[in-house]
């Protein structure tokens, strides 16, 4: 598979707002080549990270819904003070 930094590829990601800790969230990624044609058959992995603290590895594989559109869910895991 081609890496995400393939020249000319366009990647858009729709993520929920606001993020809700410890609740499943739906994501949609759209991939297109330099001419705008959808990229089918890609392996799309979403990696959720926090820049302010180490929350461990949190990845989700997105499934192809239609050519160029990939969907899936992930949970923002965090322990909040009680």
């Amino acid at each position: 598979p081609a890496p995400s930094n393939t020249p000319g590829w366009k990647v858009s990601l729709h993520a929920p707002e606001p993020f809700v800790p410890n609740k499943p969230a739906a994501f949609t990624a759209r991939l297109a080549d330099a001419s705008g044609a959808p990229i089918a058959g890609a392996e799309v992995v979403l990696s959720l990270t926090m820049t302010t603290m180490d929350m461990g590895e949190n990845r989700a594989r997105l499934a192809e819904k239609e050519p160029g559109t990939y969907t899936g869910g992930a949970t923002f895991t965090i322990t909040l003070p009680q």
Side-chain angles (χ1 to χ4, degrees):
S4 61
N5 61 351
T6 300
W9 279 25
K10 297 171 184 74
V11 178
S12 66
L13 178 66
H14 173 74
E17 287 187 35
F19 298 129
V20 180
N22 302 310
K23 299 284 183 184
F27 293 86
T28 300
R30 291 190 173 81
L31 283 63
D33 65 17
S35 69
I39 298 170
E43 180 180 305
V44 179
V45 179
L46 181 66
S47 180
L48 304 175
T49 59
M50 278 187 80
T51 58
T52 58
M53 66 177 63
D54 182 10
M55 296 300 293
E57 189 172 295
N58 190 353
R59 294 185 180 189
R61 191 171 302 278
L62 303 185
E64 189 169 14
K65 183 176 180 182
E66 59 188 50
T69 301
Y70 300 81
T71 61
T75 300
F76 297 94
T77 54
I78 186 169
T79 303
L80 299 172
Q82 297 189 6

Coordinates of all heavy atoms in Angstrom, one line a residue:
P1 N 0.8 -1.2 0.0 CA 0.0 0.0 0.0 C 0.9 1.3 0.0 O 1.9 1.3 0.6 CB -0.8 -0.1 1.3 CG -0.2 -1.2 2.1 CD 0.7 -2.0 1.2
A2 N 0.4 2.3 -0.6 CA 1.1 3.5 -0.7 C 0.9 4.3 0.6 O -0.1 4.2 1.3 CB 0.5 4.4 -1.8
P3 N 2.0 4.9 1.1 CA 1.9 5.7 2.3 C 1.0 6.9 2.2 O 0.8 7.4 1.0 CB 3.4 6.1 2.6 CG 4.0 6.1 1.3 CD 3.3 5.0 0.4
S4 N 0.6 7.5 3.3 CA -0.3 8.6 3.2 C 0.3 9.9 2.7 O -0.4 10.8 2.3 CB -0.8 8.9 4.6 OG 0.3 9.2 5.5
N5 N 1.6 9.9 2.5 CA 2.3 11.0 2.0 C 2.6 10.9 0.5 O 3.4 11.6 -0.1 CB 3.6 11.3 2.7 CG 4.6 10.1 2.6 OD1 4.3 9.1 2.1 ND2 5.8 10.4 3.0
T6 N 1.8 10.1 -0.2 CA 1.9 9.9 -1.7 C 1.6 11.3 -2.3 O 0.6 11.8 -2.1 CB 0.9 8.8 -2.2 OG1 1.3 7.6 -1.6 CG2 1.0 8.7 -3.7
P7 N 2.5 11.8 -3.2 CA 2.3 13.1 -3.8 C 1.0 13.2 -4.5 O 0.7 12.3 -5.3 CB 3.5 13.2 -4.7 CG 4.6 12.3 -4.1 CD 3.8 11.2 -3.5
G8 N 0.3 14.3 -4.3 CA -0.9 14.5 -5.0 C -2.2 13.9 -4.4 O -3.3 14.3 -4.7
W9 N -2.0 13.0 -3.4 CA -3.2 12.4 -2.8 C -3.9 13.5 -1.9 O -3.2 14.3 -1.3 CB -2.9 11.2 -2.0 CG -2.7 9.9 -2.7 CD1 -2.4 9.8 -4.0 CD2 -2.8 8.6 -2.2 NE1 -2.3 8.5 -4.4 CE2 -2.6 7.7 -3.3 CE3 -3.2 8.1 -1.0 CZ2 -2.6 6.3 -3.1 CZ3 -3.2 6.7 -0.8 CH2 -2.9 5.9 -1.9
K10 N -5.2 13.4 -1.9 CA -6.0 14.3 -1.0 C -6.7 13.4 0.0 O -7.4 12.5 -0.4 CB -7.0 15.1 -1.9 CG -6.3 16.0 -2.9 CD -7.3 16.6 -3.8 CE -6.7 17.5 -4.9 NZ -6.0 16.7 -5.9
V11 N -6.6 13.8 1.2 CA -7.2 13.0 2.3 C -8.1 14.0 3.2 O -7.6 15.0 3.6 CB -6.2 12.3 3.2 CG1 -6.9 11.6 4.4 CG2 -5.3 11.4 2.4
S12 N -9.3 13.7 3.3 CA -10.2 14.5 4.3 C -10.7 13.5 5.3 O -11.0 12.4 5.0 CB -11.3 15.2 3.5 OG -12.2 14.2 3.0
L13 N -10.8 14.1 6.5 CA -11.3 13.3 7.6 C -12.5 14.0 8.3 O -12.3 15.2 8.7 CB -10.2 13.0 8.6 CG -10.6 12.2 9.9 CD1 -11.0 10.7 9.5 CD2 -9.5 12.1 10.9
H14 N -13.6 13.3 8.5 CA -14.7 13.9 9.3 C -14.7 13.2 10.6 O -14.8 12.0 10.7 CB -16.0 13.7 8.6 CG -17.2 14.1 9.4 ND1 -17.5 15.4 9.6 CD2 -18.1 13.4 10.2 CE1 -18.5 15.5 10.5 NE2 -18.9 14.3 10.8
A15 N -14.5 14.0 11.6 CA -14.5 13.5 13.0 C -15.5 14.2 13.8 O -15.9 15.4 13.6 CB -13.1 13.8 13.6
P16 N -16.1 13.5 14.8 CA -17.1 14.1 15.7 C -16.6 15.3 16.5 O -15.4 15.3 16.9 CB -17.6 13.0 16.6 CG -16.4 12.1 16.6 CD -15.7 12.2 15.3
E17 N -17.4 16.3 16.7 CA -17.1 17.4 17.6 C -18.3 17.6 18.5 O -19.4 17.6 18.0 CB -16.8 18.6 16.9 CG -15.5 18.6 16.2 CD -15.1 19.9 15.5 OE1 -15.4 20.9 16.1 OE2 -14.5 19.9 14.5
P18 N -18.2 17.8 19.8 CA -16.9 17.6 20.5 C -16.6 16.1 20.7 O -17.5 15.3 20.6 CB -17.2 18.3 21.9 CG -18.7 18.0 22.1 CD -19.3 18.1 20.7
F19 N -15.4 15.8 21.0 CA -15.0 14.5 21.3 C -15.5 14.2 22.7 O -15.4 15.0 23.7 CB -13.5 14.3 21.3 CG -12.9 14.6 20.0 CD1 -11.8 15.5 19.8 CD2 -13.3 13.9 18.9 CE1 -11.2 15.7 18.6 CE2 -12.8 14.2 17.6 CZ -11.7 15.1 17.5
V20 N -16.1 13.0 22.9 CA -16.6 12.6 24.2 C -15.8 11.4 24.7 O -15.7 10.4 24.1 CB -18.1 12.2 24.1 CG1 -18.6 11.7 25.4 CG2 -18.9 13.3 23.5
P21 N -15.1 11.6 25.8 CA -14.2 10.6 26.4 C -15.0 9.3 26.7 O -16.1 9.3 27.1 CB -13.7 11.1 27.7 CG -13.9 12.6 27.6 CD -15.1 12.8 26.7
N22 N -14.3 8.1 26.3 CA -14.8 6.8 26.6 C -16.1 6.5 25.9 O -16.9 5.6 26.4 CB -14.9 6.6 28.1 CG -13.5 6.8 28.7 OD1 -12.5 6.3 28.3 ND2 -13.5 7.6 29.8
K23 N -16.5 7.1 24.9 CA -17.7 6.8 24.1 C -17.3 6.6 22.6 O -16.4 7.3 22.1 CB -18.7 8.0 24.1 CG -19.2 8.4 25.5 CD -20.2 7.4 26.0 CE -20.7 7.8 27.3 NZ -21.7 6.9 27.9
P24 N -17.9 5.6 22.0 CA -17.6 5.4 20.6 C -17.9 6.6 19.7 O -18.9 7.3 20.0 CB -18.5 4.2 20.2 CG -18.9 3.6 21.5 CD -18.9 4.7 22.5
A25 N -17.1 6.8 18.7 CA -17.3 7.9 17.8 C -17.1 7.4 16.4 O -16.3 6.5 16.1 CB -16.2 9.0 18.1
A26 N -17.9 7.9 15.4 CA -17.8 7.5 14.0 C -16.9 8.5 13.3 O -16.9 9.7 13.5 CB -19.2 7.5 13.4
F27 N -16.1 7.9 12.4 CA -15.2 8.7 11.5 C -15.4 8.3 10.1 O -15.7 7.2 9.8 CB -13.7 8.4 11.9 CG -13.3 8.8 13.2 CD1 -13.6 8.0 14.4 CD2 -12.8 10.1 13.4 CE1 -13.2 8.5 15.6 CE2 -12.4 10.5 14.7 CZ -12.6 9.7 15.8
T28 N -15.2 9.3 9.2 CA -15.3 9.0 7.7 C -14.1 9.7 7.1 O -13.8 10.9 7.3 CB -16.6 9.6 7.1 OG1 -17.7 9.0 7.7 CG2 -16.6 9.4 5.6
A29 N -13.3 8.9 6.3 CA -12.2 9.4 5.6 C -12.5 9.3 4.1 O -13.0 8.3 3.6 CB -10.9 8.6 5.9
R30 N -12.1 10.3 3.4 CA -12.2 10.3 1.9 C -10.9 10.5 1.3 O -10.1 11.4 1.7 CB -13.2 11.4 1.5 CG -14.6 11.1 1.9 CD -15.7 12.1 1.3 NE -17.0 11.6 1.6 CZ -17.6 11.9 2.7 NH1 -17.0 12.5 3.7 NH2 -18.8 11.4 2.9
L31 N -10.6 9.6 0.3 CA -9.3 9.6 -0.3 C -9.4 9.8 -1.8 O -10.3 9.2 -2.4 CB -8.5 8.3 -0.1 CG -7.9 8.0 1.2 CD1 -8.9 8.0 2.4 CD2 -7.1 6.8 1.2
A32 N -8.6 10.7 -2.4 CA -8.7 10.9 -3.8 C -7.3 11.1 -4.4 O -6.4 11.5 -3.6 CB -9.5 12.2 -4.1
D33 N -7.1 10.8 -5.6 CA -5.8 11.0 -6.2 C -5.6 12.4 -6.7 O -6.5 13.2 -6.5 CB -5.5 9.9 -7.3 CG -6.4 10.1 -8.5 OD1 -7.1 11.1 -8.7 OD2 -6.5 9.1 -9.3
A34 N -4.5 12.7 -7.4 CA -4.2 14.1 -7.8 C -5.3 14.6 -8.7 O -5.5 15.8 -8.8 CB -2.8 14.2 -8.4
S35 N -6.0 13.8 -9.5 CA -7.0 14.2 -10.4 C -8.4 14.3 -9.8 O -9.3 14.7 -10.4 CB -7.1 13.3 -11.6 OG -7.6 12.0 -11.3
G36 N -8.5 13.9 -8.5 CA -9.7 13.9 -7.8 C -10.5 12.6 -7.8 O -11.6 12.6 -7.3
A37 N -10.0 11.6 -8.5 CA -10.6 10.3 -8.6 C -10.5 9.6 -7.2 O -9.5 9.6 -6.6 CB -10.0 9.5 -9.7
P38 N -11.6 8.9 -6.8 CA -11.6 8.2 -5.5 C -10.5 7.1 -5.5 O -10.3 6.5 -6.6 CB -13.0 7.6 -5.4 CG -13.8 8.1 -6.5 CD -12.9 8.8 -7.5
I39 N -9.9 6.9 -4.4 CA -8.9 5.8 -4.3 C -9.6 4.6 -3.6 O -9.9 4.7 -2.4 CB -7.7 6.3 -3.5 CG1 -7.0 7.4 -4.2 CG2 -6.7 5.1 -3.2 CD1 -5.9 8.1 -3.4
A40 N -9.8 3.6 -4.4 CA -10.4 2.4 -3.9 C -9.4 1.4 -3.4 O -8.2 1.4 -3.9 CB -11.3 1.7 -4.9
G41 N -9.8 0.5 -2.5 CA -8.9 -0.6 -2.0 C -7.7 -0.2 -1.1 O -6.8 -1.0 -1.0
A42 N -7.8 1.0 -0.5 CA -6.8 1.4 0.4 C -6.9 0.8 1.8 O -8.0 0.4 2.2 CB -6.8 2.9 0.5
E43 N -5.8 0.7 2.4 CA -5.8 0.3 3.8 C -5.7 1.6 4.7 O -4.7 2.3 4.6 CB -4.6 -0.6 4.1 CG -4.5 -1.0 5.6 CD -3.3 -1.9 5.8 OE1 -3.1 -2.9 5.1 OE2 -2.5 -1.6 6.7
V44 N -6.8 1.9 5.4 CA -6.9 3.1 6.1 C -6.9 2.8 7.6 O -7.8 2.1 8.1 CB -8.1 3.9 5.7 CG1 -8.2 5.2 6.5 CG2 -8.1 4.2 4.2
V45 N -5.9 3.4 8.3 CA -5.9 3.2 9.8 C -5.9 4.5 10.4 O -5.1 5.4 10.1 CB -4.6 2.4 10.2 CG1 -4.5 2.2 11.7 CG2 -4.6 1.0 9.5
L46 N -6.8 4.7 11.4 CA -6.9 5.9 12.1 C -6.1 5.8 13.4 O -6.2 4.8 14.1 CB -8.4 6.2 12.4 CG -8.8 7.4 13.2 CD1 -8.5 8.6 12.4 CD2 -10.2 7.3 13.5
S47 N -5.3 6.8 13.7 CA -4.5 6.7 14.9 C -4.8 8.0 15.8 O -4.7 9.1 15.4 CB -3.0 6.8 14.6 OG -2.2 6.8 15.8
L48 N -5.4 7.7 17.0 CA -5.8 8.8 17.9 C -4.7 9.0 18.9 O -4.3 8.0 19.6 CB -7.1 8.4 18.6 CG -8.3 8.0 17.7 CD1 -9.5 7.6 18.5 CD2 -8.7 9.2 16.8
T49 N -4.2 10.2 19.0 CA -3.2 10.5 20.0 C -3.5 11.8 20.7 O -4.3 12.7 20.2 CB -1.8 10.7 19.4 OG1 -1.9 11.7 18.4 CG2 -1.4 9.4 18.7
M50 N -3.0 12.0 21.9 CA -3.1 13.2 22.7 C -1.7 13.8 22.7 O -0.7 13.1 23.0 CB -3.5 13.0 24.1 CG -5.0 12.9 24.3 SD -5.5 12.8 26.0 CE -5.4 14.5 26.4
T51 N -1.6 15.1 22.4 CA -0.2 15.7 22.3 C 0.3 16.1 23.7 O 1.5 16.3 23.9 CB -0.3 17.0 21.4 OG1 -1.3 17.9 21.9 CG2 -0.6 16.6 20.0
T52 N -0.6 16.2 24.7 CA -0.2 16.6 26.0 C 0.1 15.5 27.0 O 0.6 15.8 28.1 CB -1.3 17.5 26.6 OG1 -2.5 16.8 26.7 CG2 -1.5 18.8 25.8
M53 N -0.2 14.3 26.6 CA 0.1 13.2 27.5 C 0.1 11.8 26.8 O -0.5 11.8 25.7 CB -0.9 13.1 28.7 CG -2.3 12.7 28.3 SD -3.4 12.6 29.7 CE -3.4 14.2 30.4
D54 N 0.8 10.9 27.3 CA 0.8 9.5 26.7 C -0.4 8.7 27.1 O -0.6 8.4 28.2 CB 2.1 8.8 27.1 CG 2.2 7.5 26.4 OD1 1.4 7.2 25.5 OD2 3.1 6.7 26.8
M55 N -1.3 8.5 26.1 CA -2.5 7.7 26.4 C -2.4 6.3 25.8 O -3.4 5.6 25.6 CB -3.7 8.4 25.8 CG -4.0 9.7 26.5 SD -4.3 9.6 28.2 CE -5.8 8.7 28.3
G56 N -1.2 5.9 25.3 CA -1.0 4.6 24.7 C -1.4 4.6 23.2 O -1.8 5.7 22.7
E57 N -1.3 3.5 22.6 CA -1.7 3.3 21.2 C -3.2 3.1 21.1 O -3.8 2.3 21.8 CB -1.0 2.1 20.7 CG -1.1 2.0 19.2 CD -0.2 0.9 18.6 OE1 1.1 1.0 18.7 OE2 -0.7 -0.1 18.1
N58 N -3.8 3.9 20.2 CA -5.2 3.8 20.0 C -5.5 3.9 18.5 O -5.5 5.0 18.0 CB -6.0 5.0 20.8 CG -7.5 4.8 20.8 OD1 -8.0 3.9 20.1 ND2 -8.1 5.7 21.5
R59 N -5.7 2.8 17.9 CA -5.8 2.7 16.4 C -7.1 2.0 16.1 O -7.6 1.1 16.8 CB -4.7 2.0 15.8 CG -3.4 2.8 15.9 CD -2.3 2.1 15.2 NE -1.0 2.9 15.4 CZ 0.1 2.6 14.8 NH1 0.1 1.6 13.9 NH2 1.1 3.4 15.0
A60 N -7.7 2.4 14.9 CA -8.9 1.8 14.4 C -8.7 1.7 12.9 O -8.3 2.6 12.2 CB -10.1 2.6 14.7
R61 N -9.1 0.5 12.4 CA -9.0 0.3 10.9 C -10.4 0.7 10.3 O -11.4 0.3 10.9 CB -8.8 -1.2 10.6 CG -8.5 -1.5 9.2 CD -8.0 -2.9 9.0 NE -6.8 -3.3 9.8 CZ -5.6 -3.0 9.5 NH1 -5.3 -2.4 8.4 NH2 -4.6 -3.4 10.3
L62 N -10.3 1.6 9.3 CA -11.6 2.0 8.6 C -11.9 1.1 7.5 O -10.9 0.6 6.8 CB -11.4 3.5 8.2 CG -11.1 4.5 9.2 CD1 -11.1 5.9 8.6 CD2 -12.0 4.4 10.4
A63 N -13.1 0.8 7.2 CA -13.5 -0.1 6.2 C -14.1 0.7 5.0 O -14.7 1.8 5.1 CB -14.6 -1.0 6.7
E64 N -13.8 0.2 3.8 CA -14.3 0.9 2.6 C -15.8 0.7 2.4 O -16.3 -0.4 2.4 CB -13.6 0.3 1.3 CG -13.9 1.1 0.1 CD -13.0 0.6 -1.1 OE1 -12.3 -0.4 -1.0 OE2 -12.9 1.4 -2.0
K65 N -16.5 1.9 2.4 CA -17.9 1.9 2.3 C -18.3 2.0 0.8 O -19.3 1.4 0.4 CB -18.5 3.1 3.0 CG -20.0 3.2 3.0 CD -20.4 4.4 3.8 CE -22.0 4.5 3.8 NZ -22.4 5.7 4.6
E66 N -17.5 2.8 0.1 CA -17.7 2.9 -1.4 C -16.3 3.4 -1.9 O -15.5 3.8 -1.1 CB -18.8 3.9 -1.8 CG -18.6 5.2 -1.2 CD -19.8 6.1 -1.4 OE1 -21.0 5.7 -1.1 OE2 -19.6 7.2 -1.9
P67 N -16.0 3.3 -3.2 CA -14.7 3.7 -3.6 C -14.3 5.1 -3.1 O -15.1 6.1 -3.3 CB -14.8 3.7 -5.2 CG -15.9 2.7 -5.4 CD -16.9 2.9 -4.3
G68 N -13.2 5.2 -2.4 CA -12.7 6.4 -1.9 C -13.3 6.9 -0.5 O -12.8 7.8 0.0
T69 N -14.3 6.2 0.0 CA -14.9 6.5 1.3 C -14.7 5.4 2.3 O -15.1 4.3 2.0 CB -16.4 6.9 1.1 OG1 -16.5 8.0 0.2 CG2 -17.0 7.3 2.4
Y70 N -14.1 5.7 3.4 CA -13.8 4.7 4.4 C -14.4 5.1 5.8 O -14.3 6.3 6.1 CB -12.3 4.5 4.6 CG -11.7 4.1 3.2 CD1 -11.4 5.0 2.2 CD2 -11.4 2.8 3.0 CE1 -10.9 4.6 1.0 CE2 -10.9 2.3 1.8 CZ -10.6 3.3 0.8 OH -10.1 2.8 -0.4
T71 N -15.1 4.2 6.5 CA -15.7 4.6 7.7 C -15.4 3.6 8.8 O -15.0 2.4 8.5 CB -17.3 4.6 7.5 OG1 -17.7 3.2 7.2 CG2 -17.7 5.6 6.5
G72 N -15.5 4.0 10.0 CA -15.3 3.2 11.2 C -15.4 3.9 12.5 O -15.7 5.1 12.5
G73 N -15.3 3.2 13.5 CA -15.4 3.8 14.8 C -14.2 3.7 15.7 O -13.4 2.8 15.5
A74 N -14.1 4.6 16.6 CA -13.0 4.5 17.6 C -13.5 5.2 18.9 O -14.4 6.0 18.9 CB -11.7 5.2 17.1
T75 N -12.8 4.9 20.0 CA -13.1 5.5 21.3 C -12.0 6.2 21.8 O -10.8 5.8 21.8 CB -13.5 4.3 22.3 OG1 -14.6 3.6 21.7 CG2 -13.9 4.9 23.6
F76 N -12.2 7.5 22.2 CA -11.2 8.3 22.9 C -11.1 7.8 24.3 O -12.0 8.1 25.1 CB -11.6 9.8 22.8 CG -11.7 10.3 21.4 CD1 -12.8 10.3 20.7 CD2 -10.5 10.7 20.8 CE1 -12.9 10.8 19.4 CE2 -10.6 11.2 19.5 CZ -11.8 11.2 18.8
T77 N -10.1 7.1 24.6 CA -9.9 6.5 26.0 C -9.1 7.5 26.8 O -8.1 8.0 26.5 CB -9.2 5.2 25.9 OG1 -8.0 5.3 25.2 CG2 -10.1 4.1 25.2
I78 N -9.7 7.8 28.0 CA -9.1 8.7 28.9 C -9.7 8.5 30.3 O -10.9 8.2 30.4 CB -9.2 10.2 28.5 CG1 -8.4 11.1 29.4 CG2 -10.6 10.6 28.4 CD1 -8.2 12.5 28.9
T79 N -8.9 8.5 31.3 CA -9.5 8.4 32.7 C -9.6 9.8 33.2 O -8.6 10.6 33.3 CB -8.5 7.6 33.5 OG1 -8.4 6.3 32.9 CG2 -9.1 7.4 34.9
L80 N -10.8 10.2 33.6 CA -11.0 11.6 34.1 C -11.0 11.5 35.6 O -11.5 10.6 36.2 CB -12.3 12.1 33.6 CG -12.4 12.3 32.0 CD1 -13.8 12.7 31.6 CD2 -11.4 13.3 31.6
P81 N -10.6 12.6 36.3 CA -10.7 12.6 37.8 C -12.1 12.6 38.2 O -13.0 13.2 37.5 CB -10.0 13.9 38.1 CG -9.5 14.5 36.9 CD -10.0 13.7 35.7
Q82 N -12.4 11.9 39.3 CA -13.8 11.9 39.8 C -14.0 12.7 41.1 O -13.1 12.9 41.8 CB -14.2 10.4 40.0 CG -14.1 9.7 38.7 CD -14.7 8.3 38.9 OE1 -15.2 7.9 39.9 NE2 -14.6 7.5 37.8

